[in-house]
Amino acid sequence: STQQFRVTHILGAAFRRPLLDHFKNHPMMLCSAMYFKKNGVSGRQHKETVIPNELPLVQEVTTTLREWASIWRDLYVGDRREMFNSVRDMIYDLIEWRSQILSGTLPQDELTELKQRVTSKIDYGNKYLDLDLVVRDKDGNILDPDSTSTVSLFRAHEAASKQIEDRIQEEKKQNVDLSRQAKFAQTPSFALFVTLKNVVCKIGEDAEVLMSLYDPVESKFISENYLVRWSSQGLVKDIDQLHNLRSVFTDLGSEDLKREKISFVCQIVRVGRMELRDNNTKKLTSGLRRPFGVAVMDVTDIITGKMDDEDKQYFIPFQPCSDLTDNMSYSLFPGLWVTLKLLPGDIHQIRKDFPHLVDRSTAVARKMGFPEIIMPGDVRNDIYVTLVQGEFDKGCPPVDHHDRLENVMFPGAGDEGILEYKSVIYYQIKQPRWFETIKVAIPIEDVNRSHLRFTFRHRSSQESKDKSEKIFALSFVKLMRYDGTTLRDGEHDLIVYKAEAKKLEDSSLYLNLPATKVELEEKGLSTTGKGTHNLGNCTISKDSFQIATLVCSTKLTQNVDLLGLLKWRSNTSLLQQNLRQLMKVEGGEVVKFLQDTLDALFNIMMENSDSDTFDTLVFDSLVFIIGLIADRKFQHFHPVLETYIRKHFSATLAYTYDPLLMSPVKSTSISVDEGEETCR
């Protein structure tokens, strides 16, 4: 009919075909309910009324499609693409559902459910397009204003408005979630943004508030500490940080999102007297670090994206330490208030995308381990040292972790480097378990001649007696092994040496001694038994002391074969062996040092250009590395390789000069294709 053609013409080419196909068996539904028929005998015209036999809801859908189609065309002409696409999707849904209703094949329960979806979509679309609100009864039928009381009509209108508004909010949330999921899917790196709003805890002394991420299933900390120094007045000690206590826990990856549980842990360390009940007099020792309390919150849902509310503040209650159970008067409801939000990207991307949250003043607490992607130029040389536990005959002395290098030890992000770190004090406990972690960031050129030194001394609550206590024992460990690799990750059982305090200050008296019990056993000695061993000026104590270390360095490796290649100039006679051994190194270790490894291979090629001795081995090594990057396990390193090629590749002899063409001609090119490796 003419009217049918007019409507489909308005809908446009994108909508015309499905509408024509849908309505070709029902032309009356798009025509007027009134038409004129000519009488062939008398020539007079008779008026006939056609009453459609379809359901009222089908008629409403048809009317709605006509109205929306006109608006849809205007949206197209006005280039309002987002609304145009939304209306298109709603129109397609209504056409499909109308067909299902007219088919007459749906069971009654499915038909009822479909009717509910149709009316919800119509009401939502009308609200979205700022059209009139349709008021319905509980079955979805349009209310007749002539047979409905004013009060009932008002209440139905109120209920419909609320229902539609809830639907709009739900749609917005779904769109935000989809957008968020898309943004997270584009990056392998994540970060947890934390804002400390307040610490509700009347301590009466200065304190250290240490926040970190923890895996309760594996019983290990995931991140560095974020450290806030809290004053005895109940405010942040650095007044410039007031209302700006923000930290971002970076380098989280897909493996972290798969963890069964992740906890946000906050520890409070009191800095002051030995015991709170002591009167604050000048005779008492001050500045002692004593455990005070801990707060724990399960943040698994936030890390996995199930909860995302930047403005929501969480209260995490503190649990006091055992020696404070009789002193609960310090606060009625102790705890801290924080906000938590998961952000996509590494620290550089986060600062670019979320400048209102993360700026240069925001503390960055890195993951204790490598991120899934290490971009070229991201130089890192962090050694995490954890004081695990000890056993001492005469009670628990505190540990002083000395390092004469200036300001290379960091107890937490947001704090400056310090010269020495002092552990917390456990009162009269012979087997203390500290589990305190600090970061040691030593310049790469100083690592091979550096060692960590741990000294022990007893502390007293009386200042006069405390000053007389001297260092009575020492432990140490070298950061570099004899083969040029760094200290192995994991726990180390250190030897506790006893000597006079003055002798313990001289490193030359103990550096040639074994540092660990493993080294001691390699020399045929043992710490077990009744006797003690005298080694020079030091005596091996029966006391024990354990630490754990984790090396996160993009320049120092724990793999001997990879080290041989990276330092190939130091022993060129082993170069062929080093190149062969490279292809036996675990892939995860190679990709961590991708830039240095590629630089070494191209340098070998350039500096040995007069000979083809290493050409095949270098080429095989390059193919091996390309194969690693092409592997699904390391697919996130594709952009790393591309960045290296674009910005860091500088092997000039990878090009040969053609004197006839008077131009450089590339002799070798390597490309990576998705799912396979290609070398030309």
Side-chain angles (χ1 to χ4, degrees), residues 4-21:
Q4 181 180 18
F5 175 79
R6 182 181 66 80
V7 174
T8 55
H9 179 71
I10 291 175
L11 292 177
F15 186 50
R16 185 182 305 137
R17 175 55 52 195
L19 188 64
L20 284 172
D21 292 341

Side-chain angles (χ1 to χ4, degrees), residues 511-578:
L511 272 182
N512 293 325
L513 301 178
T516 66
K517 293 186 177 180
V518 173
E519 294 178 24
L520 189 67
E521 291 172 358
E522 290 174 352
K523 294 180 178 292
L525 301 175
S526 175
T527 57
T528 60
K530 296 182 179 179
T532 58
H533 300 285
N534 292 319
L535 298 177
N537 295 303
C538 299
T539 301
I540 298 178
S541 170
K542 295 179 181 179
D543 298 337
S544 65
F545 178 57
Q546 289 83 37
I547 66 167
T549 59
L550 175 64
V551 178
C552 294
S553 175
T554 55
K555 296 297 182 181
L556 302 174
T557 177
Q558 298 175 358
N559 187 284
V560 178
D561 296 327
L562 184 59
L563 179 69
L565 177 66
L566 296 178
K567 297 186 177 296
W568 64 274
R569 289 190 182 90
S570 61
N571 193 347
T572 55
S573 62
L574 297 176
L575 184 52
Q576 288 186 342
Q577 177 184 341
N578 291 335

Side-chain angles (χ1 to χ4, degrees), residues 186-204:
Q186 295 172 0
T187 175
S189 299
F190 312 92
L192 182 66
F193 176 70
V194 178
T195 303
L196 178 62
K197 294 296 185 179
N198 195 15
V199 178
V200 185
C201 195
K202 186 178 179 182
I203 303 173

Side-chain angles (χ1 to χ4, degrees), residues 48-62:
E48 294 184 3
T49 302
V50 178
I51 302 175
N53 58 3
E54 285 85 356
L55 295 171
L57 182 59
V58 175
Q59 300 176 46
E60 184 183 359
V61 171
T62 305

Side-chain angles (χ1 to χ4, degrees), residues 229 401 403 405-411 415-422 438-439:
R229 299 190 182 275
H401 177 174
D403 198 317
L405 292 174
E406 292 288 336
N407 304 330
V408 296
M409 290 190 291
F410 298 84
D415 199 43
E416 297 179 352
I418 56 178
L419 180 64
E420 67 177 18
Y421 176 80
K422 297 182 178 180
I438 63 169
K439 180 174 72 175

Side-chain angles (χ1 to χ4, degrees), residues 183-226:
K183 188 176 291 186
F184 273 78
Q186 295 172 0
T187 175
S189 299
F190 312 92
L192 182 66
F193 176 70
V194 178
T195 303
L196 178 62
K197 294 296 185 179
N198 195 15
V199 178
V200 185
C201 195
K202 186 178 179 182
I203 303 173
E205 293 184 302
D206 290 350
E208 298 172 1
V209 181
L210 299 155
M211 290 159 277
S212 56
L213 298 179
Y214 181 78
D215 187 330
V217 177
E218 298 183 6
S219 299
K220 71 174 186 180
F221 284 95
I222 302 172
S223 71
E224 301 175 355
N225 289 317
Y226 167 44

Side-chain angles (χ1 to χ4, degrees), residues 334-483:
L336 71 157
W337 289 93
V338 296
T339 62
L340 304 164
K341 182 177 179 62
L342 191 68
L343 304 177
D346 57 19
I347 184 60
H348 305 291
Q349 191 65 35
I350 287 172
R351 282 177 174 153
K352 179 181 178 181
D353 294 344
F354 304 94
H356 62 293
L357 298 178
V358 181
D359 56 25
R360 295 294 174 181
S361 66
T362 305
V364 179
R366 302 202 68 169
K367 178 182 176 181
M368 289 202 297
F370 285 102
E372 292 187 7
I373 287 186
I374 306 170
M375 295 298 292
D378 184 7
V379 179
R380 186 179 180 186
N381 192 49
D382 299 331
I383 302 174
Y384 295 97
V385 182
T386 302
L387 309 178
V388 179
Q389 62 182 358
E391 184 174 354
F392 303 91
D393 286 339
K394 297 182 179 180
C396 167
V399 181
D400 293 344
H401 177 174
H402 287 272
D403 198 317
R404 297 304 178 188
L405 292 174
E406 292 288 336
N407 304 330
V408 296
M409 290 190 291
F410 298 84
D415 199 43
E416 297 179 352
I418 56 178
L419 180 64
E420 67 177 18
Y421 176 80
K422 297 182 178 180
S423 71
V424 298
I425 301 171
Y426 292 100
Y427 189 64
Q428 293 182 348
I429 297 178
K430 292 185 177 182
Q431 296 177 329
R433 296 175 64 85
W434 293 283
F435 286 101
E436 298 177 57
T437 301
I438 63 169
K439 180 174 72 175
V440 181
I442 299 177
I444 295 172
E445 61 273 13
D446 293 332
V447 173
N448 63 338
R449 57 187 182 87
S450 300
H451 69 280
L452 300 175
R453 192 173 81 142
F454 306 87
T455 57
F456 305 89
R457 60 180 290 227
H458 291 287
R459 302 302 301 265
S460 172
S461 59
Q462 299 296 321
E463 186 177 18
S464 58
K465 185 178 180 181
D466 186 67
K467 287 182 177 180
S468 64
E469 295 284 357
K470 304 295 183 183
I471 296 172
F472 69 87
L474 168 144
S475 293
F476 75 97
V477 65
K478 295 180 180 179
L479 298 180
M480 195 75 78
R481 288 163 52 89
Y482 63 90
D483 58 6

